[in-house]
Amino acid sequence: MTLFGKILIGLILALSLVFASLSAAVYSAQFNYREALKAEKERYAALDTEKNDLEEQLRVEIGDLQAELAQVIDERDRQTQTATQLAEQNELLRGELATTNTALNVQTADTEIAQAEAEDRRVEVLAGRRRTADLSEKFVEAEAEIAALTDERFSQSVTIAQMTQTNNRLLDELGALRAQLRELGVAPNASYTGSEVPPDVSGKITAVEDRGSAGTKVSISLGSDDGLRQGDELEVVRMTGGGKYVGKIRLTEVYYDYAIANLISKNPTATVKEGDDVKTRL
């Protein structure tokens, strides 16, 4: 091999070493770049997650602040309304105070005039008061007597109604007996005109609605599951306070566990109330 060939081979080997070093440097730089890029991506992802968490926390805090602001506004409105009501009540109280002062002045003047009257006038007034007291006492006694007579008359009407109900029940029983006779082939002497009697049940008044001239409507705790039907009549009594007859109702709407009824008669000295007892038999 000539000297030129040896030099050429040495040059090729040197260049090979240079290119190998360059390749190693390029590979190392590429590897470091990839690692740095990966680290940056991971850091960016962590920052993005942290940003989302901060945004969510900020939204929650904004919602809480808005709710708290709404509560503060509601409280302010309530306090403003309360202050307005108190101001109106204050004005009313001032008006009542002025009226009371005027009445007091009038009474004071009347008292001064009464004190200035003559002794015979005072005696006459006292006598008139005694006569008025006597008349008032007699009036109270008369009212008590009238109330007693009213109760007695109503009790008699209730007795008559009960007797009528008993009569209807007996007519029903008579009709049933006549039906049995007809089944047995025995002709009854008269035709049957009765109707089916409601079962012996009791319940409570659950609601009362006073409709003025249209009458009083009530709701009871009994219904079709208790054997009641539209048109049945029940007695209303109050068991507390020694017991008292209140009146009678007629069913207009019957449901499974409750019914609606109209008050068809009442004791003049009693008013139907929620909690009163209702019975088909007294």
Side-chain angles (χ1 to χ4, degrees):
M1 179 180 294
T2 62
L3 179 61
F4 176 77
K6 292 179 179 179
I7 293 171
L8 183 61
I9 290 173
L11 182 61
I12 291 173
L13 290 174
L15 290 175
S16 298
L17 291 173
V18 170
F19 282 126
S21 299
L22 288 174
S23 297
V26 169
Y27 176 78
S28 177
Q30 185 179 8
F31 179 77
N32 293 334
Y33 173 76
R34 287 178 179 175
E35 290 296 324
L37 180 62
K38 181 179 179 182
E40 287 296 324
K41 287 183 178 179
E42 290 177 353
R43 190 172 65 85
Y44 176 78
L47 290 174
D48 188 61
T49 301
E50 184 178 358
K51 182 200 70 171
N52 292 334
D53 292 341
L54 290 174
E55 288 179 350
E56 181 64 24
Q57 183 178 359
L58 182 60
R59 282 194 292 269
V60 172
E61 291 179 355
I62 290 174
D64 293 341
L65 288 175
Q66 288 177 344
E68 185 176 355
L69 178 60
Q71 292 178 355
V72 170
I73 292 174
D74 290 341
E75 182 65 23
R76 183 201 62 187
D77 293 340
R78 284 195 296 269
Q79 290 179 357
T80 301
Q81 184 178 5
T82 302
T84 302
Q85 292 175 351
L86 290 175
E88 292 176 354
Q89 292 178 0
N90 189 28
E91 290 298 326
L92 291 175
L93 290 174
R94 287 181 179 178
E96 292 178 359
L97 179 60
T99 303
T100 303
N101 287 333
T102 302
L104 180 60
N105 293 333
V106 172
Q107 290 180 356
T108 302
D110 291 341
T111 301
E112 292 175 353
I113 293 173
Q115 290 176 350
E117 290 181 349
E119 182 65 21
D120 55 349
R121 179 63 177 172
R122 186 181 67 84
V123 173
E124 183 180 352
V125 170
L126 292 176
R129 288 179 179 175
R130 284 194 296 271
R131 288 195 298 271
T132 302
D134 293 338
L135 291 174
S136 297
E137 185 177 355
K138 292 180 180 179
F139 179 75
V140 171
E141 292 176 354
E143 279 189 334
E145 186 176 355
I146 291 172
L149 291 174
T150 302
D151 287 342
E152 183 178 358
R153 183 185 65 181
F154 191 78
S155 298
Q156 292 175 353
S157 65
V158 171
T159 302
I160 293 173
Q162 293 173 352
M163 292 177 66
T164 301
Q165 187 176 8
T166 302
N167 182 60
N168 291 334
R169 186 172 69 254
L170 293 175
L171 286 175
D172 290 340
E173 294 176 357
L174 178 61
L177 291 175
R178 286 176 175 172
Q180 293 178 3
L181 289 176
R182 282 194 293 270
E183 291 178 358
L184 295 174
V186 179
N189 295 329
S191 60
Y192 170 62
T193 60
S195 59
E196 186 177 352
V197 178
D200 187 4
V201 294
S202 62
K204 294 285 187 181
I205 297 286
T206 57
V208 180
E209 181 181 0
D210 187 1
R211 298 188 174 183
S213 59
T216 301
K217 188 174 286 292
V218 301
S219 174
I220 65 174
S221 61
L222 303 173
S224 59
D225 60 331
D226 299 294
L228 297 180
R229 302 157 304 164
Q230 183 177 353
D232 286 344
E233 296 181 355
L234 291 84
E235 308 292 343
V236 183
V237 295
R238 184 168 302 135
M239 304 306 296
T240 58
K244 189 170 188 178
Y245 184 83
V246 178
K248 178 180 286 188
I249 58 174
R250 180 181 292 123
L251 304 184
T252 58
E253 302 174 39
V254 180
Y255 301 93
Y256 179 74
D257 57 353
Y258 75 98
I260 307 298
N262 290 329
L263 182 65
I264 58 176
S265 67
K266 67 179 293 292
N267 188 338
T269 62
T271 302
V272 62
K273 297 181 180 179
E274 182 178 344
D276 287 346
D277 295 278
V278 292
K279 300 175 180 293
T280 53
R281 306 281 191 277
L282 289 178

